[in-house]
Amino acid sequence: MRYFEYFEPKSVGEACQFLNEHEEAKILGGGVSLVVLLKNGLITPSHLVNIKTIPGLARIEWDDREGLTIGGLNHHRDILLSPLIQRHCPILAEAASKIATPPIRNLGTIGGNVAHAEPSADFPPALIALNASLMLTSPGRERKVPIEEFFTDYYENILGQGEILTRIDVPPLPPRSAGTYIKLDKITNSIAIVGVASVIGFDEKGICIYAGVGLGGVASTPLNVKGAKDILVGEKITETHIDKIAKEAQAMANPITNVHASAEYRKEMVYVLTRRALQGSLDKALGR
Amino acid sequence: MVKQEIQLDVNGKSYSISVFPQETLLEVLRENLGLIGTKEGCSEGECGVCTVLLDGLPVRSCLLLAVDVRGGKITTIEGLSEKGVLHPIQKAFIEHGAIQCGFCTPGMILSAKALLDGNPFPSEEEIRIGLSGNLCRCTGYIKIFKAVQGAAL
C-alpha cells in the first residue's frame, strides 16, 4: 500500500471540514472494500479519515411515523441481528445475510456498502424497494436524497467534496407487507450476478397499496423499477401483473458481460428473478 | 512518513507500538509481535487464513488497518491454549483429523470459537455458515464440521 496519512475526526463537522480541505482524502468506514482498493493501487488517497471515531453514526432506531433510521456505520452484522429490522424491514436482514461471510459482515458497514456504489451490491436493491432515502451531510448542510438518485455510474455517486453519507431512512411500510431479496451468485454469497428485491404491501381487502422493486448487477448502477408502483398499486395482484413488471425490469436492464456472467444471461435472469421475488413477497404478505 | 503510536491488546497482553497508517493488523501481528500463527493468504479478505477475533468476533486482519483497531481486544490462535493445555476446539480438531497442511486451521478454530461462544449448540447449517469465511484446500470440510460438533458436545 502506498503511504497515506491518517486522521481521526471527533465529529461529523470536523470530518466534513477535513474532507473539504483535503481533496485527495478518502473516508474509512469498515474498510472491507477500501483496503482492497488501496492494496491494488486502484486509489491512492493522501489521507484516510476514519469516521468510526465519530460517536452516533451507528444506531438503529424506529419511529412509528418516520420509520427506520440506520446509521451509516452500522455493520452488516448489526442489520442481520437487529430485532427492529427483523420486525419492520426483514428484507434488509435477508440482504445482509447474503453479503459475503461473517468476518466481512463484522467489519463492513451499510453506509460503505451503499457509498462504494458497486452496481452488484446487495443492500441497494433492497433499499430501493423500500423507498429509502440517504442523509448526506456536509459543512453546515444536510440533504436527503432518494437512494436511486445517489448512484451515477460504476463506483460513482453524487457525494460532493466534504460530504458524508451519515444515515439511511426507511419510511414505514403498510402493516400487511413483505419483501424478498433474491441473489443469483456462482458461489453462495459471492458477488451478485443479478440481485432483485421486491416489497409489496396490502390493505385489509388484499388490494396492493405499496410496491417497490430494485435491481442490482444489471446496469452501471442499481435500478429502480418504477413501473412496479404504477402497475400494482390499487390492484389485486395477478400473474399478469407480475409478468408485466418482470418484462419491464428486463427492458430496463443494460448489463455487461464479465468474468461472472454474460450480458445475455443476466438479461434472461433478471426476468426470471423479478417474477420469483414478486411471487415470494406476495406469498409472504398474504401468509401463503 | 509519520508513524502513529497505538496501543494493542492482544491475547490479554498490552502492547505499545508505533506503526505506519497503511500497516494492516496482520502485518503488525506477524512482523512486530512475532505472532505468526495468524497466516497471510489472499490478503484480500476472501480466504480467511488471517482471521482473528476482535472483541470476540471474527474479522479479517488483512483488511483491518492496525491504527483502526482503536482499543479493541484481539485474540489470535496463540491466545487460545492456557498454560500449555490446548483449547477444547484445538483438541477436537486433532481428534477428528480436521487438520492436514494446517494453514487454514488458526482461522478455522477462531471462527469456530466465536461461533460456539455465541451459540454453544449450533446445528450443522449454523456451523457451515459460521465457518463460511474460511477456505480449506485439503480436508474437504467434513472433518472440520465434525470437530466443531465434537467441541460443542
Side-chain angles (χ1 to χ4, degrees), chain A residues 5-50:
Chain A
E5 286 184 49
Y6 176 76
F7 178 63
E8 295 192 345
K10 300 283 173 286
S11 66
V12 173
E14 197 184 350
C16 294
Q17 194 63 39
F18 189 90
L19 288 162
N20 231 353
E21 290 162 6
H22 300 83
E23 209 172 312
E24 299 298 319
K26 287 273 178 204
I27 297 168
L28 171 64
V32 292
S33 298
L34 184 82
V35 173
V36 176
L37 296 179
L38 290 169
K39 284 186 175 192
N40 287 303
L42 293 169
I43 54 168
T44 50
S46 62
H47 298 75
L48 287 195
V49 180
N50 189 353

Tab-separated table of all heavy atoms in Angstrom, chain A residues 5-50:
chain	number	residue	atom	x	y	z
A	5	GLU	N	-1.669	9.524	5.009
A	5	GLU	CA	-1.781	9.963	6.399
A	5	GLU	C	-3.154	9.598	6.923
A	5	GLU	O	-4.072	9.303	6.157
A	5	GLU	CB	-1.501	11.467	6.496
A	5	GLU	CG	-0.007	11.743	6.333
A	5	GLU	CD	0.344	13.206	6.506
A	5	GLU	OE1	-0.102	13.806	7.504
A	5	GLU	OE2	1.036	13.725	5.624
A	6	TYR	N	-3.277	9.626	8.233
A	6	TYR	CA	-4.451	9.075	8.885
A	6	TYR	C	-5.013	10.122	9.832
A	6	TYR	O	-4.268	10.755	10.581
A	6	TYR	CB	-4.012	7.830	9.644
A	6	TYR	CG	-5.078	7.168	10.473
A	6	TYR	CD1	-6.077	6.397	9.885
A	6	TYR	CD2	-5.072	7.277	11.860
A	6	TYR	CE1	-7.037	5.770	10.654
A	6	TYR	CE2	-6.024	6.643	12.637
A	6	TYR	CZ	-7.011	5.890	12.027
A	6	TYR	OH	-7.951	5.264	12.795
A	7	PHE	N	-6.328	10.308	9.773
A	7	PHE	CA	-6.960	11.336	10.607
A	7	PHE	C	-8.180	10.767	11.299
A	7	PHE	O	-8.984	10.056	10.683
A	7	PHE	CB	-7.353	12.535	9.723
A	7	PHE	CG	-8.047	13.630	10.471
A	7	PHE	CD1	-7.400	14.337	11.492
A	7	PHE	CD2	-9.360	13.983	10.159
A	7	PHE	CE1	-8.053	15.353	12.185
A	7	PHE	CE2	-10.012	14.998	10.849
A	7	PHE	CZ	-9.355	15.684	11.866
A	8	GLU	N	-8.309	11.078	12.581
A	8	GLU	CA	-9.465	10.624	13.361
A	8	GLU	C	-10.293	11.827	13.793
A	8	GLU	O	-9.968	12.488	14.773
A	8	GLU	CB	-9.002	9.837	14.596
A	8	GLU	CG	-8.304	8.540	14.243
A	8	GLU	CD	-8.088	7.622	15.444
A	8	GLU	OE1	-8.213	8.092	16.595
A	8	GLU	OE2	-7.791	6.440	15.220
A	9	PRO	N	-11.373	12.138	13.068
A	9	PRO	CA	-12.215	13.269	13.453
A	9	PRO	C	-13.040	12.931	14.695
A	9	PRO	O	-13.333	11.758	14.946
A	9	PRO	CB	-13.122	13.459	12.244
A	9	PRO	CG	-13.190	12.108	11.615
A	9	PRO	CD	-11.878	11.440	11.882
A	10	LYS	N	-13.421	13.966	15.428
A	10	LYS	CA	-14.230	13.749	16.640
A	10	LYS	C	-15.716	14.010	16.381
A	10	LYS	O	-16.557	13.683	17.200
A	10	LYS	CB	-13.744	14.678	17.770
A	10	LYS	CG	-12.286	14.456	18.175
A	10	LYS	CD	-12.134	13.209	19.035
A	10	LYS	CE	-10.679	12.888	19.300
A	10	LYS	NZ	-9.989	12.325	18.096
A	11	SER	N	-16.008	14.660	15.256
A	11	SER	CA	-17.409	14.972	14.956
A	11	SER	C	-17.602	14.937	13.442
A	11	SER	O	-16.630	14.987	12.678
A	11	SER	CB	-17.764	16.369	15.478
A	11	SER	OG	-17.026	17.336	14.756
A	12	VAL	N	-18.875	14.874	13.024
A	12	VAL	CA	-19.185	14.899	11.594
A	12	VAL	C	-18.680	16.207	10.989
A	12	VAL	O	-18.080	16.222	9.913
A	12	VAL	CB	-20.702	14.723	11.351
A	12	VAL	CG1	-21.058	14.922	9.888
A	12	VAL	CG2	-21.160	13.338	11.803
A	13	GLY	N	-18.886	17.315	11.728
A	13	GLY	CA	-18.444	18.629	11.241
A	13	GLY	C	-16.950	18.652	10.969
A	13	GLY	O	-16.501	19.140	9.933
A	14	GLU	N	-16.207	18.090	11.916
A	14	GLU	CA	-14.743	18.084	11.769
A	14	GLU	C	-14.327	17.219	10.568
A	14	GLU	O	-13.422	17.577	9.808
A	14	GLU	CB	-14.112	17.551	13.061
A	14	GLU	CG	-12.641	17.866	13.183
A	14	GLU	CD	-12.003	17.241	14.427
A	14	GLU	OE1	-12.730	16.723	15.307
A	14	GLU	OE2	-10.763	17.270	14.508
A	15	ALA	N	-15.016	16.084	10.405
A	15	ALA	CA	-14.702	15.193	9.283
A	15	ALA	C	-14.991	15.882	7.949
A	15	ALA	O	-14.174	15.843	7.027
A	15	ALA	CB	-15.512	13.904	9.396
A	16	CYS	N	-16.157	16.539	7.861
A	16	CYS	CA	-16.538	17.227	6.618
A	16	CYS	C	-15.537	18.329	6.291
A	16	CYS	O	-15.118	18.489	5.139
A	16	CYS	CB	-17.930	17.843	6.748
A	16	CYS	SG	-19.246	16.643	6.920
A	17	GLN	N	-15.191	19.079	7.332
A	17	GLN	CA	-14.229	20.167	7.166
A	17	GLN	C	-12.907	19.638	6.616
A	17	GLN	O	-12.348	20.172	5.657
A	17	GLN	CB	-14.000	20.823	8.545
A	17	GLN	CG	-13.298	22.163	8.495
A	17	GLN	CD	-14.133	23.195	7.738
A	17	GLN	OE1	-15.350	23.228	7.860
A	17	GLN	NE2	-13.474	24.003	6.936
A	18	PHE	N	-12.433	18.556	7.223
A	18	PHE	CA	-11.152	17.972	6.816
A	18	PHE	C	-11.224	17.496	5.364
A	18	PHE	O	-10.320	17.742	4.563
A	18	PHE	CB	-10.786	16.800	7.740
A	18	PHE	CG	-9.399	16.279	7.529
A	18	PHE	CD1	-8.330	16.802	8.236
A	18	PHE	CD2	-9.159	15.279	6.591
A	18	PHE	CE1	-7.036	16.330	8.022
A	18	PHE	CE2	-7.863	14.800	6.373
A	18	PHE	CZ	-6.807	15.330	7.096
A	19	LEU	N	-12.339	16.823	5.021
A	19	LEU	CA	-12.501	16.320	3.651
A	19	LEU	C	-12.584	17.470	2.646
A	19	LEU	O	-12.095	17.377	1.526
A	19	LEU	CB	-13.769	15.459	3.550
A	19	LEU	CG	-13.697	14.088	4.230
A	19	LEU	CD1	-15.088	13.517	4.457
A	19	LEU	CD2	-12.860	13.112	3.406
A	20	ASN	N	-13.177	18.567	3.101
A	20	ASN	CA	-13.275	19.757	2.257
A	20	ASN	C	-11.900	20.335	1.946
A	20	ASN	O	-11.644	20.804	0.840
A	20	ASN	CB	-14.096	20.818	2.995
A	20	ASN	CG	-15.200	21.364	2.136
A	20	ASN	OD1	-15.279	21.046	0.948
A	20	ASN	ND2	-16.053	22.173	2.731
A	21	GLU	N	-11.047	20.284	2.958
A	21	GLU	CA	-9.709	20.886	2.811
A	21	GLU	C	-8.708	19.949	2.151
A	21	GLU	O	-7.622	20.369	1.767
A	21	GLU	CB	-9.181	21.310	4.190
A	21	GLU	CG	-9.934	22.505	4.767
A	21	GLU	CD	-9.742	22.663	6.264
A	21	GLU	OE1	-8.932	21.904	6.849
A	21	GLU	OE2	-10.407	23.543	6.836
A	22	HIS	N	-9.029	18.661	2.087
A	22	HIS	CA	-8.090	17.686	1.517
A	22	HIS	C	-8.792	16.909	0.417
A	22	HIS	O	-9.449	15.907	0.660
A	22	HIS	CB	-7.570	16.736	2.599
A	22	HIS	CG	-6.843	17.430	3.697
A	22	HIS	ND1	-7.492	18.014	4.759
A	22	HIS	CD2	-5.519	17.653	3.886
A	22	HIS	CE1	-6.598	18.568	5.565
A	22	HIS	NE2	-5.395	18.359	5.056
A	23	GLU	N	-8.614	17.394	-0.797
A	23	GLU	CA	-9.359	16.860	-1.933
A	23	GLU	C	-9.071	15.380	-2.176
A	23	GLU	O	-9.935	14.650	-2.649
A	23	GLU	CB	-8.967	17.672	-3.176
A	23	GLU	CG	-10.049	17.758	-4.207
A	23	GLU	CD	-9.660	18.730	-5.309
A	23	GLU	OE1	-9.208	19.854	-5.000
A	23	GLU	OE2	-9.808	18.342	-6.470
A	24	GLU	N	-7.859	14.952	-1.852
A	24	GLU	CA	-7.461	13.570	-2.142
A	24	GLU	C	-7.676	12.634	-0.957
A	24	GLU	O	-7.188	11.509	-0.967
A	24	GLU	CB	-5.979	13.528	-2.562
A	24	GLU	CG	-5.661	14.329	-3.821
A	24	GLU	CD	-6.394	13.796	-5.050
A	24	GLU	OE1	-6.471	12.569	-5.206
A	24	GLU	OE2	-6.916	14.621	-5.831
A	25	ALA	N	-8.395	13.106	0.077
A	25	ALA	CA	-8.650	12.252	1.233
A	25	ALA	C	-9.821	11.315	0.939
A	25	ALA	O	-10.693	11.621	0.121
A	25	ALA	CB	-8.958	13.113	2.449
A	26	LYS	N	-9.824	10.148	1.585
A	26	LYS	CA	-10.944	9.199	1.444
A	26	LYS	C	-11.466	8.851	2.838
A	26	LYS	O	-10.725	8.837	3.816
A	26	LYS	CB	-10.458	7.904	0.774
A	26	LYS	CG	-10.186	8.052	-0.697
A	26	LYS	CD	-11.432	7.829	-1.517
A	26	LYS	CE	-11.142	8.027	-3.001
A	26	LYS	NZ	-12.351	8.385	-3.742
A	27	ILE	N	-12.752	8.497	2.867
A	27	ILE	CA	-13.373	8.103	4.124
A	27	ILE	C	-13.110	6.618	4.379
A	27	ILE	O	-13.299	5.789	3.492
A	27	ILE	CB	-14.895	8.361	4.075
A	27	ILE	CG1	-15.173	9.855	3.900
A	27	ILE	CG2	-15.595	7.808	5.303
A	27	ILE	CD1	-16.620	10.179	3.565
A	28	LEU	N	-12.688	6.312	5.610
A	28	LEU	CA	-12.553	4.917	6.040
A	28	LEU	C	-13.753	4.570	6.916
A	28	LEU	O	-13.958	5.162	7.972
A	28	LEU	CB	-11.252	4.732	6.834
A	28	LEU	CG	-11.064	3.374	7.530
A	28	LEU	CD1	-10.970	2.236	6.530
A	28	LEU	CD2	-9.816	3.393	8.418
A	29	GLY	N	-14.574	3.638	6.430
A	29	GLY	CA	-15.684	3.117	7.253
A	29	GLY	C	-15.246	1.760	7.774
A	29	GLY	O	-14.321	1.638	8.562
A	30	GLY	N	-15.888	0.687	7.251
A	30	GLY	CA	-15.463	-0.657	7.643
A	30	GLY	C	-14.158	-1.058	6.971
A	30	GLY	O	-13.382	-1.841	7.501
A	31	GLY	N	-13.923	-0.531	5.781
A	31	GLY	CA	-12.653	-0.755	5.099
A	31	GLY	C	-12.581	-2.006	4.243
A	31	GLY	O	-11.585	-2.224	3.562
A	32	VAL	N	-13.642	-2.835	4.236
A	32	VAL	CA	-13.510	-4.119	3.536
A	32	VAL	C	-13.359	-3.963	2.014
A	32	VAL	O	-12.725	-4.796	1.376
A	32	VAL	CB	-14.660	-5.102	3.861
A	32	VAL	CG1	-14.578	-5.561	5.293
A	32	VAL	CG2	-16.019	-4.499	3.568
A	33	SER	N	-13.927	-2.910	1.457
A	33	SER	CA	-13.691	-2.645	0.028
A	33	SER	C	-12.511	-1.696	-0.146
A	33	SER	O	-11.668	-1.889	-1.019
A	33	SER	CB	-14.925	-2.021	-0.620
A	33	SER	OG	-16.014	-2.903	-0.548
A	34	LEU	N	-12.460	-0.682	0.721
A	34	LEU	CA	-11.428	0.351	0.598
A	34	LEU	C	-10.014	-0.232	0.678
A	34	LEU	O	-9.154	0.102	-0.143
A	34	LEU	CB	-11.621	1.401	1.701
A	34	LEU	CG	-10.658	2.577	1.624
A	34	LEU	CD1	-11.166	3.594	0.623
A	34	LEU	CD2	-10.472	3.229	2.971
A	35	VAL	N	-9.780	-1.111	1.650
A	35	VAL	CA	-8.414	-1.614	1.844
A	35	VAL	C	-7.977	-2.468	0.646
A	35	VAL	O	-6.809	-2.433	0.251
A	35	VAL	CB	-8.286	-2.362	3.194
A	35	VAL	CG1	-6.925	-3.033	3.326
A	35	VAL	CG2	-8.497	-1.394	4.356
A	36	VAL	N	-8.925	-3.181	0.037
A	36	VAL	CA	-8.584	-3.952	-1.166
A	36	VAL	C	-8.204	-3.001	-2.303
A	36	VAL	O	-7.240	-3.238	-3.029
A	36	VAL	CB	-9.756	-4.881	-1.572
A	36	VAL	CG1	-9.442	-5.601	-2.877
A	36	VAL	CG2	-10.038	-5.894	-0.475
A	37	LEU	N	-8.948	-1.897	-2.445
A	37	LEU	CA	-8.615	-0.904	-3.482
A	37	LEU	C	-7.236	-0.304	-3.222
A	37	LEU	O	-6.448	-0.104	-4.149
A	37	LEU	CB	-9.660	0.221	-3.513
A	37	LEU	CG	-11.089	-0.151	-3.901
A	37	LEU	CD1	-11.982	1.081	-3.858
A	37	LEU	CD2	-11.142	-0.769	-5.287
A	38	LEU	N	-6.936	-0.043	-1.947
A	38	LEU	CA	-5.634	0.525	-1.589
A	38	LEU	C	-4.511	-0.462	-1.913
A	38	LEU	O	-3.489	-0.098	-2.491
A	38	LEU	CB	-5.579	0.847	-0.088
A	38	LEU	CG	-6.433	2.012	0.403
A	38	LEU	CD1	-6.484	2.023	1.928
A	38	LEU	CD2	-5.879	3.334	-0.103
A	39	LYS	N	-4.743	-1.721	-1.548
A	39	LYS	CA	-3.699	-2.737	-1.764
A	39	LYS	C	-3.395	-2.913	-3.242
A	39	LYS	O	-2.268	-3.195	-3.615
A	39	LYS	CB	-4.147	-4.081	-1.179
A	39	LYS	CG	-4.053	-4.131	0.326
A	39	LYS	CD	-4.356	-5.529	0.836
A	39	LYS	CE	-4.133	-5.557	2.339
A	39	LYS	NZ	-4.132	-6.917	2.875
A	40	ASN	N	-4.434	-2.783	-4.074
A	40	ASN	CA	-4.233	-2.965	-5.512
A	40	ASN	C	-3.823	-1.678	-6.216
A	40	ASN	O	-3.715	-1.657	-7.441
A	40	ASN	CB	-5.514	-3.528	-6.141
A	40	ASN	CG	-5.707	-4.989	-5.784
A	40	ASN	OD1	-4.848	-5.819	-6.056
A	40	ASN	ND2	-6.801	-5.305	-5.123
A	41	GLY	N	-3.646	-0.615	-5.437
A	41	GLY	CA	-3.218	0.650	-6.025
A	41	GLY	C	-4.283	1.293	-6.903
A	41	GLY	O	-3.972	2.145	-7.734
A	42	LEU	N	-5.543	0.886	-6.746
A	42	LEU	CA	-6.606	1.461	-7.574
A	42	LEU	C	-6.983	2.856	-7.109
A	42	LEU	O	-7.534	3.647	-7.871
A	42	LEU	CB	-7.840	0.547	-7.565
A	42	LEU	CG	-7.627	-0.798	-8.261
A	42	LEU	CD1	-8.784	-1.740	-7.989
A	42	LEU	CD2	-7.450	-0.610	-9.764
A	43	ILE	N	-6.727	3.135	-5.829
A	43	ILE	CA	-6.862	4.501	-5.332
A	43	ILE	C	-5.605	4.825	-4.530
A	43	ILE	O	-4.995	3.928	-3.930
A	43	ILE	CB	-8.120	4.696	-4.443
A	43	ILE	CG1	-8.152	3.680	-3.302
A	43	ILE	CG2	-9.390	4.601	-5.262
A	43	ILE	CD1	-9.190	3.985	-2.251
A	44	THR	N	-5.217	6.075	-4.550
A	44	THR	CA	-4.020	6.486	-3.804
A	44	THR	C	-4.333	7.777	-3.053
A	44	THR	O	-3.889	8.864	-3.426
A	44	THR	CB	-2.826	6.714	-4.758
A	44	THR	OG1	-3.260	7.570	-5.823
A	44	THR	CG2	-2.311	5.417	-5.332
A	45	PRO	N	-5.127	7.664	-1.981
A	45	PRO	CA	-5.529	8.872	-1.254
A	45	PRO	C	-4.357	9.487	-0.484
A	45	PRO	O	-3.393	8.790	-0.135
A	45	PRO	CB	-6.588	8.353	-0.277
A	45	PRO	CG	-6.289	6.904	-0.112
A	45	PRO	CD	-5.667	6.440	-1.389
A	46	SER	N	-4.478	10.787	-0.236
A	46	SER	CA	-3.456	11.461	0.586
A	46	SER	C	-3.682	11.135	2.061
A	46	SER	O	-2.743	11.023	2.827
A	46	SER	CB	-3.530	12.974	0.370
A	46	SER	OG	-4.809	13.453	0.792
A	47	HIS	N	-4.965	11.023	2.435
A	47	HIS	CA	-5.321	10.771	3.832
A	47	HIS	C	-6.480	9.774	3.885
A	47	HIS	O	-7.310	9.755	2.986
A	47	HIS	CB	-5.850	12.037	4.521
A	47	HIS	CG	-4.874	13.154	4.603
A	47	HIS	ND1	-4.543	13.937	3.527
A	47	HIS	CD2	-4.152	13.631	5.656
A	47	HIS	CE1	-3.672	14.847	3.897
A	47	HIS	NE2	-3.407	14.684	5.189
A	48	LEU	N	-6.551	9.033	4.989
A	48	LEU	CA	-7.787	8.316	5.309
A	48	LEU	C	-8.408	8.997	6.517
A	48	LEU	O	-7.712	9.303	7.498
A	48	LEU	CB	-7.528	6.844	5.645
A	48	LEU	CG	-7.170	5.907	4.507
A	48	LEU	CD1	-7.324	4.457	4.974
A	48	LEU	CD2	-8.001	6.138	3.259
A	49	VAL	N	-9.705	9.224	6.426
A	49	VAL	CA	-10.438	9.867	7.515
A	49	VAL	C	-11.323	8.797	8.150
A	49	VAL	O	-12.296	8.350	7.543
A	49	VAL	CB	-11.292	11.038	6.961
A	49	VAL	CG1	-12.056	11.710	8.084
A	49	VAL	CG2	-10.403	12.036	6.229
A	50	ASN	N	-10.947	8.375	9.344
A	50	ASN	CA	-11.653	7.256	9.982
A	50	ASN	C	-12.891	7.775	10.707
A	50	ASN	O	-12.821	8.242	11.847
A	50	ASN	CB	-10.724	6.549	10.966
A	50	ASN	CG	-11.337	5.267	11.488
A	50	ASN	OD1	-12.502	4.959	11.221
A	50	ASN	ND2	-10.553	4.514	12.246
